[in-house]
Amino acid sequence: GDSVTQMEGPVTLSEEAFLTINCTYTATGYPSLFWYVQYPGEGLQLLLKATKADDKGSNKGFEATYRKETTSFHLEKGSVQVSDSAVYFCASNSGYALNFGKGTSLLVTP
Amino acid sequence: GAVVSQHPSRVICKSGTSVKIECRSLDFQATTMFWYRQFPKQSLMLMATSNEGSKATYEQGVEKDKFLINHASLTLSTLTVTSAHPEDSSFYICSAAQGIATNEKLFFGSGTQLSVL
C-alpha cells in the first residue's frame, strides 16, 4: 500500500542554519503530498502541500517540491528560527485519509 | 483556521476500564472525522473514518468492538476504548473535515495520550 518514509530525528540546528528534512513516498497512483507541523502542545497544522509533479509548496519560508522521478518531497528552509522547533510530518493522501511518516523532531537553538 | 478540540489531552486509567475521548469541531460542521493512533516514533495510523449519523468504517486490523466510535452530531465524534489494556496505551488524534473534504480542509485535534496501567 501507499506509504511515506521520512528521515529520523531529532534534528538539532542553530538559528539561521539551513534545514532539509527528507521525505519519500510509495504510491500506486499520483498522490497529493503534504507537510504538517505540530508545535508543542498543539494539534497538527498543514504547513504546505503539492498536488502534482513539479509543484512547489511553500509557506512561512518552508518549501518542498514534488519530485515524481525520485518519489520525494523534501522539506527545506534557508534560515531556521527558534520558533520553528516542532515535529514535522510528511504525508500523502490515499483517497480521503492521509498516510503519515513517523515525524521528525526539529530543535533550533539560539 | 478552523479549530478542533480534543479532550482529554492526557488520561491514565486502570486495566479493564473504559476511556472516552471527545473530538469537537468548534467553528465548523464536520461531516467526516478521522481517528488516528500513534505509537512512539511511529507514523500516525488511521484507525477509522466516521461520518455523521452512520456507522464508522474501520481500517483492517482495528477491532470495532474495542474502539467504539460515535459521530452523533456534526460537531462531535467520540472514541471509546473499551476494557482498556496496557497495549492500548498510545497517542490518539482526531481530525475533522470541513464540508466536502479536500485535504487542506482537514483540521487536527491536539491528541490524547492514553496510559493504561
Side-chain angles (χ1 to χ4, degrees):
Chain A
D2 296 3
S3 67
V4 172
T5 303
Q6 64 182 102
M7 62 187 288
E8 300 251 347
V11 174
T12 302
L13 294 173
S14 298
E15 202 165 25
E16 298 184 3
F18 184 86
L19 168 72
T20 300
I21 302 178
N22 290 337
C23 171
T24 57
Y25 68 91
T26 60
T28 52
Y30 299 98
S32 294
L33 302 172
F34 309 83
W35 277 100
Y36 281 82
V37 58
Q38 187 172 29
Y39 297 104
E42 298 184 16
L44 288 171
Q45 301 174 28
L46 178 65
L47 180 60
L48 54 84
K49 74 170 201 174
T51 57
K52 61 184 187 296
D54 300 326
D55 267 4
K56 178 186 283 187
S58 60
N59 186 25
K60 298 181 180 180
F62 291 89
E63 292 184 340
T65 301
Y66 191 144
R67 300 285 187 201
K68 192 174 116 181
E69 62 277 13
T70 54
T71 62
S72 65
F73 193 55
H74 305 322
L75 182 68
E76 296 181 337
K77 186 173 186 181
S79 176
V80 293
Q81 304 301 312
V82 173
S83 57
D84 294 326
S85 297
V87 180
Y88 293 82
F89 292 89
C90 186
S92 68
N93 76 319
S94 180
Y96 213 149
L98 293 171
N99 303 302
F100 285 92
K102 294 182 180 180
T104 303
S105 176
L106 170 65
L107 175 63
V108 181
T109 58
Chain B
V3 177
V4 172
S5 172
Q6 187 172 339
H7 179 80
S9 59
R10 183 178 296 273
V11 59
I12 301 172
C13 70
K14 292 183 179 179
S15 185
T17 61
S18 294
V19 174
K20 180 184 284 189
I21 303 169
E22 293 188 347
C23 182
R24 293 180 184 272
S25 55
L26 297 185
D27 51 0
F28 67 99
Q29 294 185 327
T31 52
T32 306
M33 288 188 175
F34 303 88
W35 288 95
Y36 291 85
R37 178 176 182 177
Q38 183 183 28
F39 293 100
K41 299 184 179 180
Q42 300 293 320
S43 300
L44 279 76
M45 302 299 296
L46 179 66
M47 297 175 66
T49 302
S50 73
N51 291 294
E52 184 266 337
S54 62
K55 290 184 179 180
T57 302
Y58 290 81
E59 295 299 303
Q60 190 173 9
V62 178
E63 299 176 60
K64 62 180 181 181
D65 295 330
K66 174 77 170 175
F67 299 99
L68 299 179
I69 292 172
N70 184 287
H71 192 163
S73 78
L74 285 171
T75 59
L76 174 64
S77 176
T78 61
L79 167 67
T80 301
V81 183
T82 61
S83 187
H85 290 284
E87 58 266 27
D88 299 324
S89 298
S90 190
F91 185 73
Y92 295 86
I93 191 165
C94 70
S95 70
Q98 183 178 21
I100 299 173
T102 60
N103 296 106
E104 69 181 71
K105 295 295 185 183
L106 287 175
F107 301 97
F108 286 82
S110 55
T112 298
Q113 182 65 54
L114 171 63
S115 299
V116 185
L117 304 178

